[in-house]
């Protein structure tokens, strides 16, 4: 059965190395975007996955399609039309200087899409999973309505639905997010969040936690997951736990909440090459784990290990295999040369 992801794929223009925007004389052009990143990760795990979006018919739109195809993502359900591909600019941080992202996505094809562009009944044929993130409905009320319609049809057809809350303050306010996502999340079976999403979107706080100082309270996150689960009837809630020592070094782990029980992964000390897409790689790992493993501890360990490896890879996409993830999840994080 097929996995469907829905969202925006953008042209990523990143400064070389750790150059600042004001230093850059040229930019490295690649593609990325939350739902597209999840699709590529899952394709690398040999899952049958389709990405749904709207892209223009011109050459840059075709480049985005071609980029997905080369990883084995099905692009046949991508709607063509509109005038532009959204862009985001990236300046990677280092040490105590944070990364910066500047969006240039207004007027993109997907942001101007209409509900009639997508035949969700047809899209979900032969599918058993639907994934999207909170960034998609944040684009504008019309895309939010498209997302809601997709969830209703997915639920009608019996698909599992997963959503990464992915709050972005540059796209909408907490009040807007709360109003929109409170209508969508009741259709979701698997809710993914980070240490801030639940607070910014649903005003659900983790007690005794300060993400700026790296103080994360396990019991507080269990309370957050429990409230999300009970309020919206999500059978699974996953929360990533990032202790940010600096832009270059983090400690990374996560929690899975199922059936009233919390399962915490091991914690990884990661030296970051590129953290953009780290959350998406966790989402892809979680989806894969939920589809292939029975034990909750195995599921969360796989998802965290997949995301840990992503932090070592340039670009939005997580270019790793199941075997590589399992090697790390099973305890081999030595990084020794493989001969």
């Amino acid at each position: 059965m097929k996995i469907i992801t829905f969202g925006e794929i953008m042209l990523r223009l990143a400064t070389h190395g750790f150059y600042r925007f004001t230093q850059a004389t040229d930019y490295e052009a690649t593609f990325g975007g939350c739902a597209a990143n999840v699709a590529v990760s899952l394709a690398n795990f040999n899952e049958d996955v389709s990405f749904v979006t709207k892209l223009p018919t011109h050459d840059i739109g075709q480049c985005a399609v071609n980029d997905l195809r080369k990883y084995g993502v099905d692009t046949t359900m991508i709607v063509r039309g509109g005038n532009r591909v959204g862009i985001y600019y990236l300046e990677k941080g280092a040490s105590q200087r944070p990364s910066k992202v500047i969006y240039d996505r207004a007027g993109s094809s997907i942001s101007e899409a209409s509900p009639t562009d997508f035949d969700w009944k047809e899209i979900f044929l032969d599918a058993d999973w639907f994934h999207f993130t909170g960034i998609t409905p944040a684009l504008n009320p019309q895309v939010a309505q498209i997302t809601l319609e997709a969830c209703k049809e997915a639920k009608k057809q019996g698909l599992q639905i997963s959503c990464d809350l992915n709050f972005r303050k540059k796209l909408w306010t907490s009040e807007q997010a709360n109003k929109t996502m409170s209508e969508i999340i009741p259709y979701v079976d698997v809710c993914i969040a980070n240490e801030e999403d639940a607070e910014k979107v649903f005003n659900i706080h983790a007690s005794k936690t300060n993400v700026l100082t790296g103080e994360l309270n396990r019991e507080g996150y269990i309370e957050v997951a429990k409230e999300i689960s009970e309020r919206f009837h999500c059978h699974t809630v996953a929360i990533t736990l990032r202790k940010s020592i600096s832009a270059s070094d983090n400690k990374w782990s996560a929690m899975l909440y199922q059936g009233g029980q919390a399962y915490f992964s091991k914690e990884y000390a990661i030296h970051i090459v590129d953290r953009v897409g780290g959350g998406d790689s966790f989402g892809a790992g979680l989806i894969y784990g939920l589809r292939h493993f029975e034990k909750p501890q195995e599921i969360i360990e796989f998802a965290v290990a997949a995301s840990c490896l992503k932090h070592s890879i340039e670009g939005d996409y997580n270019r790793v295999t199941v075997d590589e993830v399992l090697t790390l999840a099973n305890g081999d994080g030595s990084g020794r040369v493989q001969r």
Side-chain angles (χ1 to χ4, degrees), residues 20-206:
R20 306 215 68 186
F21 288 134
T22 52
Q23 291 176 286
T25 55
D26 61 351
Y27 289 79
E28 181 182 16
T30 55
F31 289 94
C34 291
N37 298 343
V38 171
V40 170
S41 287
L42 288 168
N44 283 328
F45 295 156
N46 293 318
E47 292 287 315
D48 187 0
V49 57
S50 293
F51 175 63
V52 179
T53 192
K54 186 173 184 178
L55 285 167
T57 58
H58 58 52
D59 287 350
I60 303 303
Q62 190 61 43
C63 284
V65 172
N66 293 348
D67 197 54
L68 292 164
R69 281 178 178 167
K70 73 183 182 184
Y71 294 100
V73 175
D74 175 30
T75 60
T76 58
M77 298 180 193
I78 292 177
V79 176
R80 306 305 292 271
N83 297 311
R84 72 181 301 251
V85 177
I87 299 170
Y88 85 89
Y89 299 87
L90 173 65
E91 171 190 295
K92 288 196 295 183
S95 191
Q96 278 67 46
R97 175 174 59 83
S99 297
K100 284 187 177 181
V101 170
I102 297 174
Y103 291 120
D104 177 17
R105 64 203 304 177
S108 66
S109 291
I110 185 64
S111 69
E112 296 186 345
S114 66
T116 56
D117 283 328
F118 304 98
D119 183 351
W120 292 110
K121 186 174 181 179
E122 178 71 21
I123 290 169
F124 290 140
L125 286 178
D126 300 321
D128 66 346
W129 199 289
F130 175 54
H131 177 78
F132 67 99
T133 82
I135 290 176
T136 303
L139 294 176
N140 59 50
Q142 185 157 286
V143 180
Q145 184 61 36
I146 293 170
T147 307
L148 179 59
E149 290 179 6
C151 288
K152 288 180 178 179
E153 182 61 32
K155 184 63 67 176
K156 183 179 179 181
Q157 293 197 31
L159 279 71
Q160 289 289 297
I161 303 173
S162 57
C163 174
D164 189 335
L165 291 180
N166 259 350
F167 177 77
R168 295 290 186 270
K169 64 182 179 182
K170 291 185 178 181
L171 295 179
W172 58 357
T173 65
S174 290
E175 291 73 21
Q176 291 170 321
N178 182 280
K179 180 179 179 181
T180 299
M181 297 307 290
S182 292
E183 190 175 4
I184 292 174
I185 293 297
Y187 293 93
V188 169
D189 301 291
V190 180
C191 183
I192 305 167
N194 67 16
E195 65 271 8
E196 296 179 276
D197 290 335
E199 176 184 350
K200 299 299 184 183
V201 178
F202 296 126
N203 198 32
I204 300 174
H205 300 263

Side-chain angles (χ1 to χ4, degrees), residues 270-275 306-315 317-318 320:
I270 53 177
H271 185 71
I272 297 171
V273 171
D274 190 338
R275 68 165 282 180
S307 186
C308 175
L309 289 172
K310 164 59 193 81
H311 286 76
S312 71
I313 298 170
E314 290 276 8
Y317 300 153
N318 193 17
V320 298

Side-chain angles (χ1 to χ4, degrees), residues 273-285:
V273 171
D274 190 338
R275 68 165 282 180
V276 178
D280 305 323
S281 61
F282 174 82

